[in-house]
């Protein structure tokens, strides 16, 4: 149960202009670095660190480590709903400049690429979104799980082995924060199996000398039919 002191702490954290700007920048679902959040709030990275620590102390943001980088995201859907409500009461005022484009400059890498042995970029994130919406996977924070219904569906599509054997030292399914989209795509056994299936089916093909992938004409149809994606553009 929230106490009056706790309510006051959360309100104070949101009420500072720079912190409000950073929270608004995270409302699009992406995770951003301290440097990127400092930019949208028009403050120095050093000042941003203190503000981020304050937001973390009242559980408004969470930190994810991906390689040598640390990214911040909203801690929960409840936090997003709270910020959205405040923005509505404030009359829809824009609180921050849009964050700079993140990730690779190469449009092909941003659209579709491999991340080790799984799909990344806009394509990978779209697949994760579609599978979550259809109940194939459940993603919450830094964890993901393949549902029993989803396991059967992936077997039926020939993505997972017919016997459903996913025994491995790797997790069956885990979210991997995307470099360019800053939202999760799917890794683990399932992510690797989807990538292999897409390559074998000719839905994507490798671009020479790069991790970028080209989505083929058959891929546009294949991804839509297999995963219920609205579109898979090249």
């Amino acid at each position: 149960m929230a106490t009056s002191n706790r309510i006051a702490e959360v309100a104070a954290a949101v009420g500072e202009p720079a912190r409000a700007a950073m929270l608004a920048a995270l409302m699009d679902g992406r995770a951003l670095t301290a440097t990127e959040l400092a930019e949208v709030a028009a403050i120095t990275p050093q000042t941003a660190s203190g503000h981020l620590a304050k937001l973390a102390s009242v559980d408004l943001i969470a930190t994810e480590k991906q390689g040598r980088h640390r990214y911040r995201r909203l801690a929960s859907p409840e936090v997003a709903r709270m910020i959205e409500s405040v923005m509505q009461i404030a009359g829809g005022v824009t609180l921050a400049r849009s964050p700079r484009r993140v990730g690779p400059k190469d449009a092909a890498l941003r659209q579709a690429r491999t991340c080790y042995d799984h799909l990344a970029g806009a394509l990978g994130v779209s697949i994760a979104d579609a599978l979550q919406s259809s109940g194939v996977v459940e993603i919450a924070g830094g964890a993901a799980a393949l549902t029993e219904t989803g396991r059967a569906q992936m077997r039926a599509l020939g993505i997972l082995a017919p016997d459903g054997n996913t025994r491995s030292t790797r997790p069956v399914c885990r979210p991997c924060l995307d470099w360019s989209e800053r939202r999760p795509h799917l890794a683990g056994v399932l992510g690797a199996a989807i990538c292999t299936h897409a390559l074998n089916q000719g839905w994507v093909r490798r671009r020479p000398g790069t991790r970028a992938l080209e989505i083929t004409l058959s891929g546009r149809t294949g991804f839509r039919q297999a995963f219920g994606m609205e579109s898979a553009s090249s």
Side-chain angles (χ1 to χ4, degrees):
M1 180 176 178
T3 65
S4 57
N5 285 344
R6 183 64 173 177
I7 293 171
E9 289 176 358
V10 172
V14 176
E16 201 283 329
R19 293 195 288 267
M22 290 190 283
L23 289 170
L26 295 172
M27 281 293 289
D28 65 0
R30 294 191 298 173
L32 300 172
T33 65
T35 299
E36 290 160 351
L37 289 168
E39 182 177 324
V40 299
I43 57 178
T44 66
Q46 292 78 11
T47 301
S49 294
H51 286 309
L52 292 169
K54 178 65 175 178
L55 292 172
S57 72
V58 292
D59 300 320
L60 294 181
I61 63 170
T63 301
E64 293 185 24
K65 292 189 67 176
Q66 190 75 11
R68 56 190 177 86
H69 298 291
R70 291 165 62 88
Y71 300 95
R72 275 75 174 185
R73 59 173 176 80
L74 295 182
S76 66
E78 289 74 22
V79 173
R81 286 196 290 270
M82 180 192 72
I83 301 302
E84 184 176 23
S85 296
V86 172
M87 293 172 74
Q88 290 173 350
I89 293 170
V93 175
T94 300
L95 299 181
R97 299 192 300 271
S98 296
R100 65 185 178 185
R101 186 175 65 182
V102 295
K105 295 180 181 179
D106 186 339
L109 280 170
R110 297 173 67 82
Q111 175 62 33
R113 63 182 183 275
T114 53
C115 175
Y116 185 45
D117 61 356
H118 52 272
L119 297 175
L123 174 62
V125 171
S126 293
I127 291 172
D129 287 345
L131 294 184
Q132 185 174 20
S133 295
S134 63
V136 171
V137 298
E138 296 175 347
I139 302 175
L146 176 65
T147 65
E148 285 304 313
T149 299
R151 189 184 300 272
Q153 183 175 330
M154 293 299 100
R155 288 200 299 260
L157 289 170
I159 292 173
L160 292 178
D163 61 1
N165 183 14
T166 54
R167 291 180 182 177
S168 171
T169 56
R170 302 175 65 188
V172 172
C173 180
R174 73 172 179 84
C176 181
L177 187 64
D178 195 85
W179 177 28
S180 52
E181 297 296 305
R182 299 296 173 83
R183 297 174 53 237
H185 57 246
L186 294 176
V189 173
L190 177 61
I194 290 173
C195 182
T196 298
H197 185 78
L199 287 165
N200 289 343
Q201 294 296 312
W203 294 351
V204 293
R205 51 175 169 250
R206 299 185 187 276
R207 295 177 184 264
T210 176
R211 291 192 294 121
L213 298 170
E214 178 185 355
I215 303 172
T216 65
L217 288 174
S218 63
R220 298 182 195 182
T221 301
F223 285 120
R224 183 175 64 251
Q225 293 179 343
F227 306 127
M229 295 167 58
E230 293 183 4
S231 65
S233 59
S234 58

